[in-house]
């Protein structure tokens, strides 16, 4: 199967460095403290956040960390993907995903501000068209922000695959089936979009320059193909760029959300 | 709800219940504006098209385009010969169609479009053949997607409308579709509304299209292809009508595509390439070790196809029946009874699917029975004839044509179309006629067609890209300014006589004392390579043509150039006394000729002399140069200067060669037939044996050095996309036959490493006849794997190193012949980028090249193989042509014993050929006696005193005798009493008479008959004497050459024994080595020691191992007369020990490298001792 055409177009018409169209919605579930839906093309993720609330267990023991604990749980709807179940709740793969996501999010949350608290993050894959892990991380960031959890920065996340000798960002389901090496990356972007919204166009340069001390979490599934150092390097470079792009999207959407909220409260300028 | 749940649970990997599941698939697609259209008429996408290199798929009106053609799926399916084979130009295929056609299994289809889609991806097999079809990515083109969504027009029409906007009415866009044309006609009848189609789009049926747009000579081919395909269609309908009652062969249906895929993934089926061993009554083949016993099991697959095989249960396994010399020709029925199966049973299977058809175009001639019938009755109406392919491994083809009577006695190209279950032979249609059978021009055309070697002249567009000045071109000023000027270096080229495409020149410059830098460079040796990449810019038509050709093909009577002759013979060629652009590799050497620095870059050079090998050798030897070239020497001084240069070059080359040999470089040989041809008739008059002078090896060595240096340089900068040449270590089983043969001579062949193999071959050379030695070297060459181009980033290359086994180099590539090899041009570009580009540019180059390089490497490998095969077959044709008039008598070595004869090896031509010892009735054939031969010498110009013979009596067997075969002896036995009349054993030297057996279908063949042992002893003796009298000058032994160098540099050194070096027997060598190394001679039995001994035999050479990253081996001359010095002995032994350890760790691979740390300590000790000795020696000399 040919994944990248002669012209450099992928199966769904994107180029190697193009991410699927992202969409988002805030406060989809009034029952919890914060929630968000994030979509990447046909991949749809919902995330619910509870907290910060008093730590129910684990906090009482002697010597336990004072800081806020962030736990993640990951679920999939039965109809998330066609045919084969990619992973059920509680299997090794989703366990690993939960712990990695918790680690990544903890790095972005100001845990010291909420001592002896806990935050629960629940992600659900409603539809999986590839890249569910990256989309879940993005959804979690939006939901955390919606819940009003203080964040140090925005975590951007993306997956990168390698097929037909080329690193491809944001692989979809068809491309995931190509069984190439895959890389899931979360990176904390400390940069900020400029305050005045007029020059959003040149925000990119600003952003790229502002990546200071980012924290990166990488999950590799490289054993699928023979991955050379060069392959990995090209994938990694693309992944970091991709994280930056998705972080920018999240930041802009959060800003728009805040502005909308402010408008409803008749605040003049936020 | 229950059903849905149940379905989900059932969906196991069994796949049986899968059909009941319905999975809803949702795919998102991104439509975009920047989709390449490949049309030179399009302004908006011009840049994009250029970047992708798709500018020349479609033409503009200026280039003679009359219409763009958009066939629908049905037209492609029915007439791939018309639309997908380059007959009709300017064809646009929708990507959706291309994918649907490409996904089809090759089983019954003609596979027209798969090749096309591959051509656009840059696949090697079809590259360049089909640059007439452009696959347009309509699925992602926003205009097409919108048009199809908003109105109910077909995909083809939407594409056409998109293109119509681009060409702005200059010419129509024709949608070829039978169904839509019919609809349109109906609609026109009804309403009279023709405007259902967008402006500029015309919808025609296939027939209508052929009528309207395929006139003139260009359209002739299209019309013919259409008619053939239509006839085939009719025929097939006729066939299917009678299919139920057909009594012909009924093959099993192929499995459908999905089952085959499933079977492969579950391991039920085996995938592999079918290798046909024999066709005919007995039909056998192999797929990846699985035996295919019959035609029925082969199930319509052809030689070379990629197939899926189902392995039968063990009870049904059977053994190969064929072990006769005639396996190439198909076996006669009488042989079936004679050949009793002797081989063990093997895995047996049958073919259930064809994944890819390899054979598409086949060179063939009419079947003799059909031909007779046609000549008897030329005007009878018939719509086909059976034809026989030239390649004996391909089945006969039913040619559908109404012009069969024009094909009598011709060779032509047939394209295989389809092969249905009930057909005995596949259908095919005529592509083109090549020439007469048996005529040399016809045979040569057939040869070129068979190996797919492009022989047509260069296109006008390619020629237009050459420099406008033509032959008056001079180096432009800006090039003079930007390049390093090496015109003051004395550069000379050394080539074979008559060579016009001078790729390389060599230069030597003694650096004046004042200019010497800190590194002590005393000499600058330059290898200057023609800078073809300056003239051939990437992306141009010229570049594409050169890439398609891949290499220049040298045939006996012609040369098929890779580049137009203006470039290859003039502008790029490094002609003497002219300024030329070059890509140079300059080594700086110190006094000891050790390399201290390498420089690569673009230069301007000025060649002083264009010498031939023989001139250079004569000058080096101190003789007056023969006048066989064009160059003129101005007096003795000029020659003396050149001689000094040559001396340095020879010394340097010998030194590096010694290092390579010590690392295990294997020197193997293969023969190249050369012919003296008659100027007028072009018929060959004599076979010329290649006469080798040492200078050839010297030049070759310097080229090898330049190549490896270039490879190292490009690889260090572009580790993931350097084009390298890799020669994998041989597989041990390849040597099994060789070892077995050697065992019959009592020699144990050790092939574990290059060093060991060298030593074993040397032993054989010592013990056996020269003929046998040649056989062994030839067989060893065949057993080696083939060197190949690889991209260093490709996955396949990571499996082991990129090293070149035969040359014993870690990195190797082709860099020195850009005029005749495309790979060299690629390497030049990479090298220029490596040495000149900035980091950013390097990254860009790397990214740009990585994608295409794998397929490019594969394409070049394929072209290389094809040209090699064509060259050797061409030599054979000429040899046979010569034999037709003058049969020859030659010695031969028996190297395999078969049931009905022998396989012999002719050392003088490096040809393996069968000798059949039974006739068709199973009686043995007599040896040729003197009385059977007729002397035809009168008209023959006999400079040698050998009589030429022609065969007088036909090959008739003697009744009452039969053959008896044992493992390594074939005996002729009288049936009545079992008395052995004659016997032939393995490796026995026999004398054979070579004649040419005319063959119709497969071309002429070599026929051999063994001469009576007693007969013609005198003639053979004379022949031997004649041969011995003028032996080809032996290549100077390296040790001797090195000795000369050292002597000239160190006049104090005295030779103990300068003569008789080469005549030493093995024992003597061992002894001498033992004496010099002061080691117990038992150690020399070690396989490692052989190579060590080879080096140490250069008596006055001292070897030390330099632990530098280059793994360099240092060769230091020492004074032999002082060898008695005990200290020196100790040091010598220490150095040798170190060297031995070094070699052993090297061959031990990873484990050995892990020990390198410990080794280095020991090496240091050795070095210290060496230094001591050097000091001691110096004090002696002082």
């Amino acid at each position: 199967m040919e994944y990248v055409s002669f012209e450099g177009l992928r199966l769904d018409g994107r180029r190697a460095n193009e991410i699927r169209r992202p969409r988002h919605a805030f406060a989809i579930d009034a029952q919890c403290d914060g929630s968000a839906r994030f979509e990447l093309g046909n991949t749809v993720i919902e995330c619910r956040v509870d907290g910060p609330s008093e730590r129910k267990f684990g906090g009482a023991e002697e010597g336990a960390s004072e800081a806020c604990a962030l736990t993640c749980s990951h679920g999939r709807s039965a109809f998330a993907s066609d045919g084969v179940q990619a992973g059920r709740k509680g299997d090794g793969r989703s366990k690993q995903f939960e712990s990695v996501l918790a680690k990544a999010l903890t790095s972005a949350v100001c845990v010291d501000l909420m001592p002896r608290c806990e935050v629960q993050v629940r992600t659900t894959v409603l539809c999986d068209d590839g890249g569910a892990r990256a989309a879940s991380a993005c959804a979690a960031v939006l939901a955390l922000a919606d819940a009003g959890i203080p964040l140090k920065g925005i975590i951007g996340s993306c997956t990168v695959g390698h097929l037909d000798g080329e690193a491809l960002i944001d692989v979809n389901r068809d491309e995931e089936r190509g069984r190439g090496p895959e890389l899931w990356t979360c990176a904390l972007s400390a940069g900020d979009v400029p305050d005045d919204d007029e020059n959003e166009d040149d925000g990119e340069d600003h952003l790229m320059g502002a990546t200071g001390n980012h924290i990166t979490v990488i999950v590799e599934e490289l054993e699928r193909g023979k991955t050379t150092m060069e392959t990995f390097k090209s994938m990694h470079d693309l992944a970091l760029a991709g994280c930056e792009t998705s972080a920018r999207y999240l930041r802009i959407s959060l800003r728009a959300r805040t502005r909308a909220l402010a408008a409803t409260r008749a605040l003049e300028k936020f | 709800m229950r059903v849905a749940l149940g379905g989900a649970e059932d969906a196991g990997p069994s796949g049986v219940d899968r059909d009941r599941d319905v999975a809803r698939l949702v795919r998102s697609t991104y439509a975009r504006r920047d989709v390449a259209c490949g049309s030179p008429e399009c302004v908006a996408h011009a840049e994009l098209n250029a970047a992708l290199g798709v500018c020349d798929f479609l033409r503009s009106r200026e280039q003679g385009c009359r219409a763009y053609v958009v066939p629908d799926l049905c037209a492609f399916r029915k007439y791939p010969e018309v639309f997908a084979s380059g007959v009709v130009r300017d064809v646009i295929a929708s990507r959706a169609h291309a994918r649907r056609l490409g996904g089809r299994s090759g089983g019954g289809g003609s596979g027209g479009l798969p090749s096309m889609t591959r051509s656009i991806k840059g696949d090697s097999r079809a590259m360049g053949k089909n640059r007439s079809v452009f696959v347009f990515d309509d699925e992602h083109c926003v205009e097409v997607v919108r048009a199809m969504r908003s109105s109910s027009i077909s995909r083809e029409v939407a594409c056409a409308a998109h293109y119509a906007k681009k060409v702005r009415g200059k010419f129509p866009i024709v949608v070829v579709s039978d169904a839509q044309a019919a609809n349109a006609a109906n609609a026109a009848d009804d309403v009279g509304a023709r405007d259902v189609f967008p402006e500029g789009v015309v919808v025609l049926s296939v027939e209508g299209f052929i009528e309207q747009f395929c006139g003139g000579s260009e359209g002739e081919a299209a019309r013919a292809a259409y008619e053939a395909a239509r006839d085939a269609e009719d025929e097939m309908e006729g066939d299917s009508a009678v299919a139920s009652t057909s009594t012909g062969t009924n093959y099993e249906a192929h499995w459908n595509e999905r089952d085959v895929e499933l079977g492969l993934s579950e391991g039920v089926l085996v995938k592999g390439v079918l290798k046909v061993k024999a066709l005919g009554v007995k039909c056998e083949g192999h797929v990846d070790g699985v035996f295919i016993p019959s035609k029925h099991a082969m199930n319509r697959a052809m030689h070379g196809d990629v197939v899926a095989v189902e392995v039968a249960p063990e009870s049904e396994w059977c053994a190969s029946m064929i072990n006769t010399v005639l396996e190439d020709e198909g076996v006669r029925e009488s042989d079936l009874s004679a050949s009793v199966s002797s081989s063990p049973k093997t895995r047996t299977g049958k073919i259930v699917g064809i994944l890819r058809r390899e054979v598409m175009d086949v060179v063939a001639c009419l079947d003799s029975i059909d031909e007779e019938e046609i000549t008897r009755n030329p005007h009878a109406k018939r719509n086909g004839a059976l034809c026989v392919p030239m390649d004996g491994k391909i089945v006969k083809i039913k040619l559908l044509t109404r012009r069969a009577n024009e094909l009598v006695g011709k060779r032509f190209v047939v394209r295989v179309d389809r092969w249905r279950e009930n057909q005995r032979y596949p259908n095919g249609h005529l592509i083109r006629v090549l020439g007469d059978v048996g005529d040399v021009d016809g045979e040569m055309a057939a040869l070129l067609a068979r190996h797919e070697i492009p022989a047509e002249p260069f296109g006008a567009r390619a020629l237009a890209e050459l420099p406008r000045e033509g032959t008056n071109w001079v180096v432009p000023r800006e090039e003079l300014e930007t390049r390093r000027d090496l015109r003051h270096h004395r550069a000379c080229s050394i080539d074979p006589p008559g060579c016009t495409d001078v790729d390389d020149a060599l230069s030597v410059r003694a650096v004046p004392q004042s200019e010497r830098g800190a590194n002590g460079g005393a000499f600058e040796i330059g290898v200057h390579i023609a800078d073809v990449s300056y003239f051939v810019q990437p992306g141009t038509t010229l570049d594409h043509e050169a890439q398609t050709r891949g290499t220049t093909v040298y045939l006996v009577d012609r040369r098929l150039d890779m580049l137009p002759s203006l470039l290859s013979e003039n502008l790029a060629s490094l002609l003497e006394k002219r300024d030329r652009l070059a890509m140079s590799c300059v080594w700086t050497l110190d006094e000891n000729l050790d390399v201290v620095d390498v420089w690569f870059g673009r230069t301007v050079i000025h060649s002083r002399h264009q010498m031939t090998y023989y001139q250079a050798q004569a000058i080096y030897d101190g003789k007056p140069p023969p006048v066989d070239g064009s160059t003129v020497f101005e007096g003795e001084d000029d020659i003396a200067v050149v001689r000094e240069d040559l001396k340095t070059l020879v010394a340097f080359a010998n030194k590096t060669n010694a290092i390579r040999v010590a690392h295990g470089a294997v020197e193997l040989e293969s023969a190249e037939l050369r012919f003296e041809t008659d100027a007028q008739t072009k018929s060959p008059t004599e076979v010329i044996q290649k006469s080798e002078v040492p200078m050839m090896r010297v030049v070759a060595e310097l080229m090898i050095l330049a190549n490896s240096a270039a490879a190292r340089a490009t690889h260090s900068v572009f580790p993931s996309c350097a084009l390298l040449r890799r020669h994998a270590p041989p597989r041990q089983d390849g040597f099994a036959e060789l070892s077995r043969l050697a065992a019959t001579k009592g020699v144990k062949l050790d092939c574990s490493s290059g060093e060991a193999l060298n030593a074993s071959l040397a032993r054989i050379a010592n013990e056996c006849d020269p003929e046998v030695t040649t056989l062994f070297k030839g067989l060893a060459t065949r057993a080696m794997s083939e060197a190949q181009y690889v991209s260093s980033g490709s996955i396949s290359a990571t499996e082991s190193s990129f090293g070149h086994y035969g040359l014993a180099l870690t990195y190797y590539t082709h860099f020195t012949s850009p005029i005749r090899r495309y790979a060299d041009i690629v390497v030049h570009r990479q090298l220029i980028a490596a040495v000149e580009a900035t980091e950013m540019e390097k990254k860009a180059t790397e990214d740009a090249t990585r994608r295409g390089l794998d397929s490019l490497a594969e394409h070049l490998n394929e072209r290389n193989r094809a040209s090699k095969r064509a060259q050797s077959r061409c030599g054979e044709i000429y040899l046979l042509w010569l034999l037709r008039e003058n049969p020859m008598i030659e010695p031969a070595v028996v190297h395999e014993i078969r049931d009905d004869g022998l396989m012999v090896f002719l050392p003088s031509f490096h040809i393996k050929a069968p000798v059949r010892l039974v006739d068709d009735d199973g009686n043995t054939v007599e040896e040729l006696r003197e009385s059977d031969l007729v002397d035809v010498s009168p008209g023959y110009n006999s400079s040698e005193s050998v009589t030429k013979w022609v065969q007088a009596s036909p090959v008739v067997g003697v009744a009452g005798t039969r053959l008896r075969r044992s493992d390594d002896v074939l005996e002729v036995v009288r049936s009545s009493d079992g008395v052995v009349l004659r016997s032939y054993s393995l490796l026995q030297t026999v004398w054979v008479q070579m004649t040419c057996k005319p063959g119709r279908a497969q071309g002429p063949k070599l026929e051999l008959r063994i001469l009576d042992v007693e007969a013609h002893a005198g003639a053979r003796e004379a022949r031997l004497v004649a041969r011995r009298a003028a032996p080809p000058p032996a290549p100077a032994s390296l040790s001797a050459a090195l000795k000369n160098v050292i002597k000239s540099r160190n006049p104090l050194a005295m030779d103990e024994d300068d003569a008789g070096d080469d005549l030493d027997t093995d024992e003597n060598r061992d002894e001498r080595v033992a004496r010099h190394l002061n080691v117990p001679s038992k150690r020399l039995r070690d396989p490692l020691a052989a190579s060590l001994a080879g080096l140490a035999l250069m008596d006055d050479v001292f070897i030390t191992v330099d632990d530098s990253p280059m793994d360099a081996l240092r060769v230091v001359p020492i004074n032999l007369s002082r060898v008695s010095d005990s200290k020196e002995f100790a040091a010598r032994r220490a150095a040798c020990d170190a060297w031995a350890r070094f070699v052993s760790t090297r061959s031990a691979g990873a484990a050995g490298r892990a020990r390198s740390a410990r080794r280095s300590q020991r090496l240091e000790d050795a070095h210290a001792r060496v230094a001591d000795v050097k000091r001691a020696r110096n004090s002696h000399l002082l």
Side-chain angles (χ1 to χ4, degrees), chain B residues 621-848:
Chain B
D621 294 341
K623 295 174 199 147
V627 265
D628 56 353
S630 57
T631 190
V632 183
F633 294 96
E634 292 131 15
E636 275 302 310
D637 295 348
D638 194 15
I639 293 179
V641 168
V642 173
R643 183 179 304 143
E644 275 313 304
D645 287 357
L646 286 175
K647 275 188 177 162
T648 319
L649 287 178
V650 171
F652 180 54
N654 284 334
K655 185 168 170 173
T656 53
N657 184 284
I659 293 172
R660 278 201 305 111
V661 170
H663 277 68
V666 187
E667 298 207 1
L668 296 166
E669 48 186 85
S670 59
E672 194 183 326
L673 295 176
R674 278 165 194 268
F675 295 88
E676 191 83 47
T677 49
D678 192 307
Q680 267 122 46
T681 59
K682 276 190 173 175
S683 60
T685 53
E686 207 178 332
V687 187
I688 308 168
Q689 304 282 343
K690 196 162 61 173
S691 78
E692 196 176 68
V693 291
M695 198 52 72
M696 292 177 181
R697 286 175 155 226
V698 169
V699 174
E701 182 64 37
L702 289 168
M703 293 307 137
I704 289 170
L705 205 59
N707 283 334
S708 70
R712 196 173 275 277
T714 48
H715 183 264
S716 64
V717 179
F718 303 119
S720 68
C721 66
L723 183 67
L724 298 179
R725 191 159 172 85
R726 168 185 180 214
H727 185 209
R731 287 172 297 116
Q732 285 304 315
D733 53 340
F735 282 108
E737 187 199 12
L738 203 56
S739 305
R740 201 168 43 74
L741 270 182
T744 62
K745 274 280 171 187
V747 179
K748 195 176 164 299
L749 200 68
D750 183 358
C751 321
S752 55
S753 70
E755 294 97 327
L757 183 63
N758 268 348
S760 303
L761 287 177
R763 189 159 305 151
I764 289 169
N766 267 334
E767 290 179 5
C768 306
D769 303 338
E771 283 90 20
V772 178
T773 313
T774 324
L775 167 67
F776 273 104
K777 285 194 176 169
L779 287 179
T781 313
R782 274 175 211 212
M784 297 274 172
S785 33
E786 214 177 9
Q788 287 191 321
Y789 296 109
V790 292
S791 157
S792 58
S794 70
I795 302 241
S796 64
T798 56
E799 282 158 13
S800 62
S801 70
F802 320 113
H804 198 290
Y805 173 83
L807 297 174
L809 293 166
T810 336
Y811 301 102
Y812 192 68
T813 188
H814 272 163
F815 160 72
T816 52
S817 304
I819 296 180
R820 58 185 177 88
R821 287 189 303 230
Y822 189 77
D824 299 50
I825 300 184
V826 177
V827 173
H828 274 228
R829 288 183 188 145
Q830 289 188 338
L831 197 59
I832 291 171
V835 296
E836 292 182 357
T838 60
E839 282 304 316
M840 285 292 283
E841 285 164 348
K842 277 179 194 168
K843 182 109 182 40
T845 325
E846 189 165 357
D847 289 345

Side-chain angles (χ1 to χ4, degrees), chain B residues 452 522 558 676:
Chain B
E452 299 181 4
R558 68 190 94 176
E676 191 83 47

Side-chain angles (χ1 to χ4, degrees), chain A:
Chain A
M1 185 142 175
E2 184 196 43
Y3 290 97
V4 185
S5 78
F6 170 77
E7 283 185 48
L9 294 185
R10 289 151 69 175
L11 292 174
D12 59 359
R14 289 180 291 152
R15 291 196 188 281
N17 61 348
E18 288 173 347
I19 294 181
R20 278 172 292 170
R21 179 177 164 191
R23 270 169 291 204
H24 68 278
F26 286 101
I28 49 164
D29 188 351
Q31 301 289 314
C32 43
D33 293 324
S35 60
R37 177 166 58 234
F38 186 77
E39 298 174 26
L40 264 180
N42 284 342
T43 299
V44 184
I45 311 287
E46 282 188 357
C47 181
R48 293 171 172 77
V49 171
D50 285 314
S53 54
E54 195 181 333
R55 209 183 290 179
K56 300 220 169 52
F57 46 86
E61 296 124 38
E62 205 64 31
S65 166
E66 284 285 291
C68 164
L70 192 141
T71 54
C72 289
S73 64
H74 181 62
R76 284 176 78 86
S77 68
F79 47 85
S81 52
D82 52 321
V84 191
Q85 273 281 15
R88 282 157 212 267
K89 190 168 170 62
D91 72 354
R93 207 173 132 88
S94 71
K95 275 262 153 48
Q96 185 208 23
F97 171 75
E98 284 165 6
S99 75
V100 171
L101 183 62
K103 206 180 279 175
L105 293 176
T106 311
S107 72
V109 172
C110 302
V111 280
D112 296 333
L113 295 183
M114 302 170 286
R116 267 170 288 177
C117 286
E118 68 172 352
V119 175
Q120 285 181 359
V121 177
R122 286 174 287 142
T123 55
T124 314
V125 182
L126 290 188
C127 184
D128 185 2
D129 190 35
R133 290 178 298 179
S136 302
C138 294
V141 170
L142 294 182
L144 282 175
D146 188 47
I149 312 275
L151 297 173
K152 293 178 203 159
I154 299 290
I155 285 194
S157 179
C158 73
T159 49
V160 170
H162 198 273
L163 288 167
D164 284 358
E166 204 164 336
L168 306 175
I169 203 163
D170 189 21
V171 286
N172 66 17
R173 191 104 192 100
D174 289 338
E175 287 164 335
E176 274 185 355
R177 288 202 182 108
R179 314 293 290 166
E182 212 176 300
L183 198 67
W184 168 45
T185 310
C186 294
L188 178 68
S189 154
D192 202 359
V193 278
D195 260 349
D196 38 334
D197 13 331
E198 280 82 13
N199 54 359
E200 241 173 36
D201 292 340
D202 61 2
E204 193 169 2
D205 294 343
H206 188 83
L207 262 177
M208 294 306 263
T211 11
N213 46 350
H214 63 244
I215 299 154
T216 312
V217 178
I218 295 171
V219 174
E220 302 135 55
E221 273 158 31
L222 303 178
E223 73 284 359
R224 284 175 178 178
K226 288 174 187 164
T227 312
T228 60
M229 198 57 213
E230 284 92 49
T231 310
F232 176 74
K233 204 172 164 322
S234 64
M235 288 168 72
H236 182 236
D237 291 349
L238 189 60
L240 287 187
C243 288
E244 205 53 57
T245 312
S246 80
R248 184 158 67 106
Y249 175 80
L250 297 178
R251 188 171 277 123
I252 290 169
S253 55
L254 282 174
R255 189 172 296 281
R257 157 89 168 155
T258 316
R259 206 172 282 130
L261 286 176
T264 55
R265 297 187 191 178
L267 288 178
E268 204 155 78
K269 175 146 175 106
F270 178 71

Side-chain angles (χ1 to χ4, degrees), chain B residues 8 74 418 463 969 1042:
Chain B
C74 183
R418 41 200 114 183
L463 292 175
V969 184
L1042 209 60

Side-chain angles (χ1 to χ4, degrees), chain B residues 854-925:
Chain B
D854 272 342
S855 59
L856 178 65
E858 205 179 294
H859 166 71
L860 292 176
N861 285 330
E862 197 264 331
R863 288 325 310 158
N864 241 4
R865 268 196 296 271
S867 89
K868 227 183 256 171
R869 257 185 261 129
Q871 282 166 21
S872 75
R873 177 65 192 156
C874 175
E876 256 177 76
I877 289 179
Y878 269 78
L879 178 65
L880 290 168
W881 194 6
L882 192 61
L883 289 175
R884 201 160 59 178
E885 273 125 49
N886 305 316
M888 288 184 201
I889 292 175
E890 286 289 337
V893 182
V894 178
H895 97 95
E896 217 178 312
I897 288 177
R898 298 275 176 84
D899 284 342
D900 65 344
L902 308 166
M903 287 295 283
V904 297
F905 177 80
L906 295 156
S908 25
F909 304 110
H910 271 254
I911 293 176
K912 236 166 80 171
V915 183
R916 201 153 182 261
L917 290 177
V918 289
D919 65 5
D920 292 350
D921 300 324
N923 298 320
T924 55
V925 177

